[in-house]
Amino acid sequence: PRLPPPHHLRTTDRPTMSGLGNMAGLGSALPARDGGGGKKKGGGSDKKGNKKQEDSEEGEDSDFTEGVDQKEVMQALSQLNGNKGLVSALQQKLDGLVGSSSGFVESLHYKVRARVEALGGLQETHDELFEAFLKEKRELDQRYRALYQPLYIKRAAIVKGEEDVEAIAEAGDLEEEAAAGDEAPSGIPDFWLMAMRNNETLEEQITERDDPALQHLVDITCSRLEGDQKGFILDFHFAQPNPYFSNAVLSKTYNMIDEEDPMLESVEGTEIQWLPGKNLCVKVLRKKPKKGAKNAKPITKTEQCESFFNFFSPPAIPEEEDDLEEEEAEALQDAMENDYEIGMMFKEKIIPDAVSWFTGEANQEDSDDEDYDDDDEDDVHQAVSRIQAIIRSRQAREQYLRLRKVTTSLQERIAARARGEDVMDGGDLEDYDNEDEDEDDHNDNDRVQKPSVA
């Protein structure tokens, strides 16, 4: 789904006079500020013709800028320089102009305006129906969530070993169990770990160091936020006690502005209470002290490392007044989109269809969906082209091997003649080449038959 940036996340640089002039709709009509606001050296022209040509090239509207006292505008804008409060007020004022009438509709013929107004009435009716649809959809979703809940509870009980099912041993099962001498494990070991590992997106987030901790994961649930809040919360339930952290539940909350669009407002994660020396999100680096140092103890420091449990430390969204460079904002946006994608993966795929992910069937279905899409025909043509290229490369290799064989034979004859030995004359060589050609024809016939077999 499309994920727009948070409503209060925007990039801001230090405002410039030309930038504020553009914000005000004056374009480049405002001169660049150089000290006291004079013209740049070498810029401009005294000839009116050249001046009009420059304005045309820069895309200015001479009719719009005509009558604007640029000195007064520059004097007003210069008061904003360095004052974030006034700049913010101006930005809000300009934002309020977005969506205001441009006069286009008013300029239409009165009959056309009437038709446009009629379409507006139809649109209002459509919007009302759409709102009713969304309301019924939410009610239907809530009703079926309640029906799903007992199934999820029973699944969790079986996975944990709190509830068992009748099992009929097949031929050989009892012999294998007797030979191994082991009793059946409780529940389904590593159920959620295997389900997550079989998902390509989640598998990239899990490291080998995470596996022992995720073996204690016994259930994952999802619920909607209560009241008027929009969004959902993921709860990861861990067996207690476990040797890594004291939290029984690790939660991840996605607060949404709009769930249909969707637009993400903020993300919150549980702070993990790691046991001493068990933090999987950091690694400890030890450095031996230099020889002769007063402190003989090794120097240790910690640094962040890759781990699935970083999922519970979502990207921090800056406050509205915080400024971000463009690269920083893009990096934050990418991190938020990746985090949201993982959250939706749990909500829409892993939790509803956990057993299929555990067995690997869901992964196969996903692969099939990717292989057979609307571009199947193009994919077939590309596959045929690749096969043809492979066949051509094999034919070229066979020709090369035959040529190398003949070349080697010729080199051996030349060497034999140099040693004074008897060698085949030209007729024998011609016969040899003809035999090789006969063999080539035979191989060509075989190759002609192969595609039909395939």
Side-chain angles (χ1 to χ4, degrees):
R2 184 176 68 87
L3 179 63
H7 65 294
H8 62 271
L9 181 60
R10 62 178 62 165
T11 57
T12 55
D13 295 323
R14 183 177 180 83
T16 61
M17 295 302 101
S18 59
L20 291 173
N22 291 331
M23 289 165 53
L26 298 179
S28 55
L30 298 180
R33 191 180 184 204
D34 184 12
K39 293 183 179 179
K40 292 185 178 179
K41 295 181 180 180
S45 174
D46 294 332
K47 295 181 179 181
K48 295 182 179 180
N50 292 340
K51 178 61 180 175
K52 288 184 178 180
Q53 183 178 359
E54 291 177 6
D55 291 347
S56 177
E57 291 176 354
E58 294 177 357
E60 295 177 4
D61 188 346
S62 58
D63 294 335
F64 177 77
T65 57
E66 186 177 355
V68 175
D69 191 336
Q70 298 183 10
K71 290 184 178 180
E72 291 185 4
V73 174
M74 287 301 302
Q75 184 178 3
L77 291 178
S78 64
Q79 299 176 1
L80 302 178
N81 193 22
N83 191 324
K84 291 185 178 181
L86 292 178
V87 172
S88 177
L90 176 60
Q91 178 66 57
Q92 293 177 5
K93 182 67 175 177
L94 294 175
D95 289 344
L97 297 177
V98 177
S100 60
S101 176
S102 63
F104 167 71
V105 176
E106 291 78 359
S107 66
L108 298 175
H109 191 279
Y110 74 95
K111 289 188 175 181
V112 177
R113 287 202 306 270
R115 295 165 191 152
V116 172
E117 291 176 0
L119 295 183
L122 295 176
Q123 186 64 47
E124 290 180 2
T125 305
H126 175 277
D127 293 343
E128 292 174 359
L129 291 174
F130 185 69
E131 287 296 327
F133 160 74
L134 293 180
K135 181 180 179 181
E136 290 186 17
K137 181 182 176 182
R138 287 189 291 267
E139 294 174 353
L140 187 65
D141 179 70
Q142 185 176 1
R143 182 160 66 90
Y144 273 88
R145 281 182 178 275
L147 297 175
Y148 293 149
Q149 199 59 30
L151 304 179
Y152 293 154
I153 294 174
K154 186 175 182 66
R155 179 180 67 187
I158 295 175
V159 170
K160 297 176 185 178
E162 298 173 350
E163 183 177 331
D164 210 347
V165 298
E166 183 180 355
I168 300 176
E170 297 181 0
D173 288 342
L174 296 177
E175 289 79 358
E176 292 179 4
E177 183 176 354
D182 297 331
E183 295 183 358
S186 175
I188 305 178
D190 304 339
F191 177 81
W192 290 102
L193 173 59
M194 292 298 298
M196 293 163 59
R197 279 286 192 187
N198 283 333
N199 180 277
E200 184 177 355
T201 301
L202 299 180
E203 200 273 338
E204 295 176 354
Q205 310 297 320
I206 303 173
T207 67
E208 292 184 2
R209 297 175 67 225
D210 295 329
D211 284 349
L214 290 175
Q215 288 176 344
H216 298 278
L217 179 61
V218 294
D219 196 16
I220 306 176
T221 59
C222 178
S223 57
R224 295 179 61 87
L225 297 182
E226 298 179 354
D228 296 333
Q229 301 180 82
K230 296 181 179 179
F232 60 94
I233 181 170
L234 298 171
D235 289 323
F236 296 74
H237 303 260
F238 287 84
Q240 287 295 326
N242 72 66
Y244 291 91
F245 44 81
S246 59
N247 308 72
V249 179
L250 299 179
S251 300
K252 187 72 173 286
T253 304
Y254 291 86
N255 298 292
M256 312 293 292
I257 299 174
D258 186 358
E259 293 179 291
E260 298 298 330
D261 198 8
M263 293 182 67
L264 182 63
E265 181 177 25
S266 63
V267 186
E268 302 170 6
T270 299
E271 182 179 355
I272 303 177
Q273 305 298 323
W274 295 102
L275 298 179
K278 296 295 184 178
N279 191 340
L280 299 174
C281 298
V282 298
K283 58 182 178 181
V284 180
L285 304 177
R286 291 181 175 84
K287 184 178 180 181
K288 294 182 179 179
K290 297 181 179 180
K291 293 183 178 180
K294 294 182 180 179
N295 188 2
K297 294 183 179 180
I299 302 174
T300 61
K301 67 175 184 177
T302 60
E303 67 177 30
Q304 203 75 13
C305 66
E306 294 183 356
S307 171
F308 168 77
F309 291 93
N310 287 323
F311 176 66
F312 299 98
S313 300
I317 300 177
E319 298 296 333
E320 186 170 358
E321 62 270 11
D322 290 348
D323 295 346
L324 285 178
E325 298 294 336
E326 183 176 355
E327 293 182 357
E328 295 175 336
E330 289 179 356
L332 176 59
Q333 178 68 15
D334 291 341
M336 291 179 62
E337 289 180 358
N338 183 62
D339 183 87
Y340 180 78
E341 179 184 0
I342 296 174
M344 290 300 293
M345 186 68 67
F346 279 111
K347 177 177 180 287
E348 302 291 341
K349 291 192 174 184
I350 302 299
I351 294 176
D353 200 14
V355 65
S356 297
W357 287 105
F358 173 77
T359 60
E361 295 176 7
N363 196 20
Q364 184 63 38
E365 291 175 1
D366 268 18
S367 300
D368 293 341
D369 291 341
E370 292 175 1
D371 293 340
Y372 301 99
D373 53 15
D374 295 336
D375 299 328
D376 284 347
E377 188 173 349
D378 294 339
D379 294 341
V380 170
H381 288 310
Q382 293 177 4
V384 171
S385 299
R386 287 197 296 269
I387 293 172
Q388 291 174 343
I390 293 171
I391 292 175
R392 287 194 295 268
S393 65
R394 288 181 178 175
Q395 291 173 346
R397 176 172 175 77
E398 290 173 0
Q399 293 173 0
Y400 163 73
L401 293 175
R402 287 196 299 271
L403 179 60
R404 190 175 68 175
K405 182 178 179 181
V406 174
T407 304
T408 304
S409 177
L410 289 173
Q411 290 175 344
E412 291 175 353
R413 293 170 192 169
I414 293 171
R417 263 187 200 152
R419 292 192 300 269
E421 299 176 359
D422 294 334
V423 295
M424 292 186 298
D425 56 15
D428 294 335
L429 178 59
E430 185 177 353
D431 293 340
Y432 176 83
D433 292 339
N434 289 336
E435 290 176 2
D436 202 298
E437 291 176 2
D438 293 339
E439 184 180 353
D440 293 344
D441 294 339
H442 179 68
N443 291 336
D444 290 339
N445 291 334
D446 290 344
R447 284 196 296 272
V448 169
Q449 296 173 1
K450 284 179 182 178
S452 63
V453 175

